[in-house]
Amino acid sequence: MMNKKNRHKLYSVIVVVFFTLYVGAQQNILPLIPQPKSLVKTPGHFSLTSTTKLVVTTQSIKDELVYFNDYLKKHYGFVLEVTSKIPEKGNYIIFTYPDWEAGLKENYHLTINETFISIIAESEGAGNFYAIQSLIQLLPLEKTTTLNIPCLQIKDAPLMKWRGMHLDVCRHFFSIDFIKKYIDLLALYKMNTFHWHLTDDQGWRIEIKKYPKLTQVGAWRNGTMIGAYSNQEFDTIKYGGFYTQEQIKDVVTYAAQRHITIVPEIEMPGHAVAAISAYPFLSCDEKQIDVERGWGVFENVFCTKDTVFNFLEGVLSEVMNLFPGKYIHVGGDECPKTKWKTCNHCQSRIKTEKLKDEHELQSYFITRIEKFVNSKGRQIIGWDEILEGGLAPNAAVMSWRGTEGGINAAKQKHKVVMSPGTHCYFDHFQGDPIDEPLAFGGYTPLQKVYSFNPIPTELNESEKQYILGAQANVWTEYILNDKHVEYMANPRMAALSEVLWSPNENRNSSNFVARLQKHFLLLDKLNYNYSKALYNVEQITTSSKSHQAINLELKADSVLGKIYYTIDGSNPNIKSIPYKNAITISNNTTVKAALFKNEKQLGKISQRNYEINLATNKSITLAIPPSKSYNYGGAFTLINGVVASLPRTNNQWLGWSGKNLEAVIDLKQLEEIKTISVGFLKEEINWIYLPKEAEVFISNDGQKYISIGKMKLINERFMEISVSPTKTRYVKIITNNYGLIPEGNPGAGSPAWLFCDEIQIK
Ligand code: ACM
Ligand code: ZN
């Protein structure tokens, strides 16, 4: 047996070895994103200089060589000579295609030796381009004459076929130069699909020769909504722009050189206001309307008369001539049926086609367009609303309202692209809203994207085949300029690329974050903006074992640094409390936390106030469960000591559509109560209304309740009731949902939403 002293020695050796391996691993982390399928590091490095030769034996990869030489020229100031002869002294990059299995166009092998680099892929395949992208990510960042590249062997292949990014150029317009820069960003991450959202209520952005007014009139609006939607404020500056067909052809070629297919989206039958403003005959009542200045869903949609289909066929013919890809996106989302209900054309269409209702009329619309698109040898894809009223026979579905639409479509043997709001809406906040620019009201941080699995477990093996892949959407209501698009896309696009490319077993979020940290330097070099929200500490509350206290976890990836925090209101530094395990909070406390590395604060200070009261972390039951989409954290969210912040992100609120909050809180023993308050949200423009009334009941046995009265609205955020000190064990709060939204308001006639956050009992 080993004696104690020797054992200590051995432990020290083990510690040193592991530490060395760990530090070594840190230093050896290659900034490759997405992580290749197989990667083996080998000793040494290849030195790329202006005398390195590019050896090719086929003409078919010209674009890739131009791309690589353009990159070298721009960032290092030299280009490589292309030759068909292998230099005797070595120092070359050779492209070959031995025995490549047909159909594996995107796969590649990249071997970096000390004397040469070998790229093997299908002769005309995207794999050649992806090998170059990997090579580019391995180049040193500094501009030097000798570029040392670490030796390695990569054998790579994508997990999914559809690796997409979307951009809305209607709500805000982006120049051709920026579209190309965006496409280059997609190329960096081996994305292969760019979904170009070209038409919407706020602007028509593609020149159509047959209908020139679409861009003469429809591309311009007389002002733009500014700030939060709930403010309903507008400027009066004429805004717009469009792409000529020549520009579009140029972009399509540019994308093709990067092995990216562009999927154009022409929205129908909804989101059609810009088209109708140019040609009023397209709507049901044929009234002249203006291009929309604000965001939302609008009642003026395409009518279903024949002249509209003639128009759309004319538009789509030109679109299909410009975009050679298989898929044409026809929108299909968010189409109010209001106008159809009172339109003679639409109602007689329902009769002659023997349709049940307006949902089937939408299905008729999409199916008729599909026939036309199919007749030209192409396929349609649409948002998941195209499932309503029956799916067109060959349509592919883009699932955005969760993954249910995609699951449903796959079960019907239709192709699916997953793009659920929960993981793939890059217009949502990616950090605490307090620290972020105004965004759409969802919360989709980096790690949430990284955790995405586009293939639902609800599907069996044969149904899974229908999931082509996924894409992220960048809607630009609140994204005003190029730098802001980049900020919303980066680094979430990097995370998505790995979800779509790397095998699940290679996915590791700490390792991703370590690579990303290095990769940020490349984004800096390439002049792309990106969010650093991952350097901010997340504060997560969980139920504690003791009542009237919560557990607080402080979260950031330990690869990045160490968390220090304070509870006395001061700003944290490395002399503050180092975070180890969850903190129990049993008094009103302000927690400030930040991440530090080598004494340097990395991100922003995260600050949260915890308000502990009699209700905190007690037992709570809800008679009516919240809507699935607004139930993040469950009922605990209402008593977790955190009063939800504004603007709203959906992770701190519970929401009911047309239903009531009916909560019972068991205080576990008789407690003296004086004040009960409940937080509600008023955001009527988004269909969220304060409750009509809220009443509070108390009980000692949980059976017999007596009312202590109705709560009063104390501002437009809280309702409260105060009573003379009363002892009770159970507190029941019953609210009345506002009911149907009144005429003249957004969502008129639909059930109002009730949003609630914290219940406080003092
Ligand atoms: C969508 O976000 N309306 C597809
Ligand atoms: Zn009509």
Side-chain angles (χ1 to χ4, degrees):
M1 234 173 102
M2 205 180 287
N3 67 34
K4 224 173 171 182
K5 206 171 150 203
N6 276 343
R7 218 190 288 168
H8 273 295
K9 229 184 209 165
L10 182 65
Y11 286 161
S12 318
V13 170
I14 289 173
V15 167
V16 169
V17 167
F18 270 96
F19 183 74
T20 311
L21 282 176
Y22 176 75
V23 171
Q26 289 286 305
Q27 282 166 352
N28 275 336
I29 279 186
L30 299 171
L32 284 168
I33 297 176
Q35 178 74 4
K37 186 171 181 182
S38 142
L39 165 73
V40 179
K41 279 272 300 122
T42 52
H45 62 261
F46 177 87
S47 295
L48 191 147
T49 68
S50 59
T51 59
T52 302
K53 300 284 186 286
L54 287 169
V55 183
V56 283
T57 51
T58 166
Q59 294 301 308
S60 67
I61 59 158
K62 204 160 136 265
D63 288 344
E64 288 78 2
L65 302 182
V66 170
Y67 184 93
F68 190 48
N69 264 337
D70 283 353
Y71 188 92
L72 290 175
K73 175 97 192 139
K74 182 165 178 195
H75 297 288
Y76 302 98
F78 62 83
V79 295
L80 305 184
E81 190 191 322
V82 181
T83 163
S84 58
K85 278 213 305 283
I86 295 176
E88 275 172 26
K89 290 199 200 120
N91 196 5
Y92 57 91
I93 302 173
I94 184 166
F95 293 79
T96 50
Y97 316 99
D99 303 330
W100 196 258
E101 199 180 322
L104 301 179
K105 285 187 186 312
E106 296 192 311
N107 298 19
Y108 70 92
H109 295 178
L110 169 66
T111 309
I112 302 174
N113 298 305
E114 294 207 297
T115 52
F116 70 96
I117 293 176
S118 154
I119 290 171
I120 306 176
E122 188 171 289
S123 72
E124 298 191 16
N128 296 292
F129 185 69
Y130 297 147
I132 286 172
Q133 288 300 339
S134 293
L135 197 53
I136 281 173
Q137 292 192 358
L138 292 166
L139 294 176
L141 295 162
E142 317 74 57
K143 183 172 177 176
T144 54
T145 49
T146 303
L147 309 177
N148 288 339
I149 311 170
C151 289
L152 50 70
Q153 295 171 353
I154 288 175
K155 290 186 178 175
D156 211 357
L159 188 66
M160 304 239 170
K161 286 199 191 81
W162 185 299
R163 304 184 302 279
M165 285 298 297
H166 150 288
L167 184 66
D168 165 14
V169 295
C170 302
R171 277 51 178 265
H172 284 98
F173 181 68
F174 298 91
S175 69
I176 289 290
D177 280 348
F178 180 70
I179 297 298
K180 289 182 173 174
K181 192 180 178 201
Y182 192 65
I183 287 171
D184 276 322
L185 187 63
L186 269 66
L188 180 66
Y189 295 117
K190 304 185 174 81
M191 294 284 193
N192 63 5
T193 308
F194 170 43
H195 173 170
W196 204 356
H197 183 79
L198 287 164
T199 74
D200 216 306
D201 301 307
Q202 298 79 6
W204 183 283
R205 306 282 176 231
I206 171 172
E207 179 193 24
I208 300 295
K209 307 264 192 209
K210 193 171 172 189
Y211 298 104
K213 281 194 195 168
L214 284 172
T215 44
Q216 285 163 2
V217 176
W220 306 95
R221 61 183 184 240
N222 294 320
T224 299
M225 180 178 270
I226 45 174
Y229 181 74
S230 46
N231 298 344
Q232 291 290 299
E233 283 171 13
F234 300 85
D235 67 26
T236 54
I237 303 162
K238 184 173 172 178
Y239 184 94
F242 66 92
Y243 308 111
T244 65
Q245 295 204 349
E246 284 313 304
Q247 287 176 317
I248 286 177
K249 282 182 205 159
D250 176 42
V251 170
V252 168
T253 304
Y254 190 86
Q257 287 163 346
R258 286 150 183 77
H259 295 273
I260 290 170
T261 303
I262 303 184
V263 176
E265 181 179 354
I266 307 296
E267 273 268 23
M268 63 190 78
H271 288 294
V273 170
I276 294 167
S277 78
Y279 295 101
F281 80 87
L282 296 169
S283 69
C284 288
D285 57 24
E286 308 201 350
K287 285 200 185 111
Q288 178 65 56
I289 54 171
D290 290 335
V291 177
E292 287 293 344
R293 299 171 307 148
W295 326 130
V297 171
F298 302 95
E299 287 183 352
N300 277 301
V301 303
F302 287 131
C303 181
T304 61
K305 60 202 166 201
D306 285 334
T307 49
V308 173
F309 288 102
N310 294 342
F311 163 84
L312 286 171
E313 288 177 8
V315 168
L316 289 171
S317 296
E318 292 190 30
V319 168
M320 285 187 277
N321 283 339
L322 291 169
F323 295 95
K326 176 174 169 184
Y327 285 104
I328 303 295
H329 202 301
V330 298
D333 60 321
E334 299 179 322
C335 178
K337 313 294 189 289
T338 331
K339 297 278 182 182
W340 291 357
K341 285 186 178 151
T342 54
C343 168
N344 291 339
H345 294 288
C346 291
Q347 289 305 313
S348 81
R349 179 76 75 192
I350 287 180
K351 283 201 195 75
T352 54
E353 297 295 332
K354 301 193 173 54
L355 306 171
K356 204 167 76 211
D357 56 13
E358 287 74 21
H359 289 294
E360 289 198 355
L361 185 56
Q362 155 131 351
S363 173
Y364 166 85
F365 195 112
I366 299 291
T367 304
R368 182 159 163 177
I369 291 293
E370 177 180 77
K371 271 201 196 110
F372 177 73
V373 171
N374 287 171
S375 77
K376 307 282 177 198
R378 311 293 188 86
Q379 298 289 329
I380 65 159
I381 183 164
W383 301 109
D384 56 57
E385 284 94 330
I386 66 170
L387 281 151
E388 293 165 9
L391 200 45
N394 306 312
V397 170
M398 195 168 266
S399 191
W400 73 280
R401 296 174 303 172
T403 53
E404 292 82 1
I407 292 169
N408 187 344
K411 286 184 187 292
Q412 296 181 46
K413 301 193 185 328
H414 283 252
K415 299 266 173 53
V416 171
V417 175
M418 287 297 188
S419 194
T422 49
H423 295 78
C424 294
Y425 267 49
F426 289 2
D427 55 338
H428 292 177
F429 286 101
Q430 54 193 320
D432 192 324
I434 297 164
D435 299 323
E436 294 293 320
L438 181 64
F440 209 86
Y443 186 54
T444 309
L446 181 70
Q447 292 297 0
K448 177 120 195 205
V449 179
Y450 197 76
S451 72
F452 182 47
N453 179 11
I455 302 186
T457 49
E458 289 92 332
L459 297 179
N460 66 32
E461 287 311 306
S462 75
E463 291 161 349
K464 283 178 184 168
Q465 314 289 322
Y466 291 96
I467 310 295
L468 295 175
Q471 74 173 37
N473 299 329
V474 183
W475 300 103
T476 57
E477 285 94 336
Y478 302 103
I479 302 179
L480 278 55
N481 54 49
D482 302 354
K483 283 287 154 209
H484 196 173
V485 170
E486 294 170 12
Y487 179 88
M488 298 307 273
N490 294 322
R492 290 184 285 191
M493 195 197 298
L496 183 67
S497 80
E498 199 144 309
V499 165
L500 293 170
W501 184 281
S502 311
N504 288 341
E505 60 272 21
N506 285 11
R507 267 206 262 162
N508 173 307
S509 77
S510 288
N511 181 276
F512 168 70
V513 164
R515 278 179 286 122
L516 186 60
Q517 233 182 332
K518 292 194 168 185
H519 183 83
F520 279 158
L521 304 173
L522 179 60
L523 292 180
D524 287 333
K525 179 184 172 78
L526 300 178
N527 194 25
Y528 285 109
N529 195 14
Y530 54 91
S531 161
K532 299 182 187 75
L534 86 159
Y535 292 115
N536 299 344
V537 175
E538 236 189 308
Q539 302 201 22
I540 299 166
T541 49
T542 55
S543 181
S544 126
K545 283 208 177 68
S546 46
H547 288 116
Q548 240 167 286
I550 47 124
N551 280 342
L552 174 63
E553 282 174 38
L554 302 180
K555 226 174 119 187
D557 207 298
S558 60
V559 166
L560 299 171
K562 230 174 134 26
I563 298 170
Y564 291 86
Y565 70 97
T566 65
I567 51 170
D568 62 2
S570 65
N571 287 341
N573 57 46
I574 54 156
K575 299 209 174 71
S576 307
I577 313 165
Y579 176 73
K580 292 196 182 76
N581 302 311
I583 314 157
T584 301
I585 296 190
S586 50
N587 293 303
N588 289 355
T589 307
T590 296
V591 176
K592 291 189 179 184
L595 196 58
F596 293 84
K597 176 122 188 178
N598 304 331
E599 312 208 349
K600 192 171 158 259
Q601 183 184 319
L602 296 180
K604 295 177 179 163
I605 294 172
S606 146
Q607 173 175 341
R608 278 266 180 94
N609 302 324
Y610 296 92
E611 299 182 23
I612 308 301
N613 57 83
L614 291 172
T616 307
N617 194 37
K618 292 284 166 62
S619 158
I620 179 169
T621 44
L622 299 176
I624 304 168
S627 141
K628 221 171 117 190
S629 322
Y630 299 104
N631 192 15
Y632 190 97
F636 174 68
T637 306
L638 300 181
I639 49 161
N640 68 346
V642 181
V643 177
S645 55
L646 293 173
R648 165 174 60 100
T649 54
N650 295 331
N651 61 337
Q652 291 177 39
W653 295 90
L654 300 188
W656 290 259
S657 172
K659 302 216 173 94
N660 302 333
L661 161 77
E662 291 189 23
V664 174
I665 293 163
D666 177 359
L667 300 173
K668 297 291 174 186
Q669 61 186 29
L670 287 179
E671 298 277 8
E672 188 171 87
I673 65 164
K674 292 198 237 27
T675 310
I676 297 154
S677 84
V678 183
F680 294 103
L681 188 63
K682 181 174 170 177
E683 219 178 271
E684 295 182 354
I685 200 86
N686 285 325
W687 307 20
I688 303 167
Y689 282 68
L690 294 173
K692 273 223 164 92
E693 54 178 34
E695 189 167 359
V696 180
F697 304 81
I698 55 172
S699 166
N700 286 347
D701 60 3
Q703 309 284 329
K704 283 203 305 284
Y705 282 90
I706 54 161
S707 171
I708 56 167
K710 304 237 164 90
M711 302 183 98
K712 287 202 187 73
L713 194 63
I714 52 168
N715 47 37
E716 300 221 305
R717 179 72 179 76
F718 294 95
M719 289 180 91
E720 193 175 280
I721 184 168
S722 292
V723 290
S724 50
T726 309
K727 286 212 158 185
T728 188
R729 172 162 171 182
Y730 297 90
V731 177
K732 184 192 275 191
I733 298 156
I734 304 232
T735 63
N736 276 339
N737 184 295
Y738 186 87
L740 295 184
I741 297 172
E743 280 311 311
N745 296 287
S750 299
W753 282 89
L754 174 69
F755 269 54
C756 176
D757 70 329
E758 197 71 354
I759 297 175
Q760 303 201 49
I761 303 175
K762 289 174 186 161

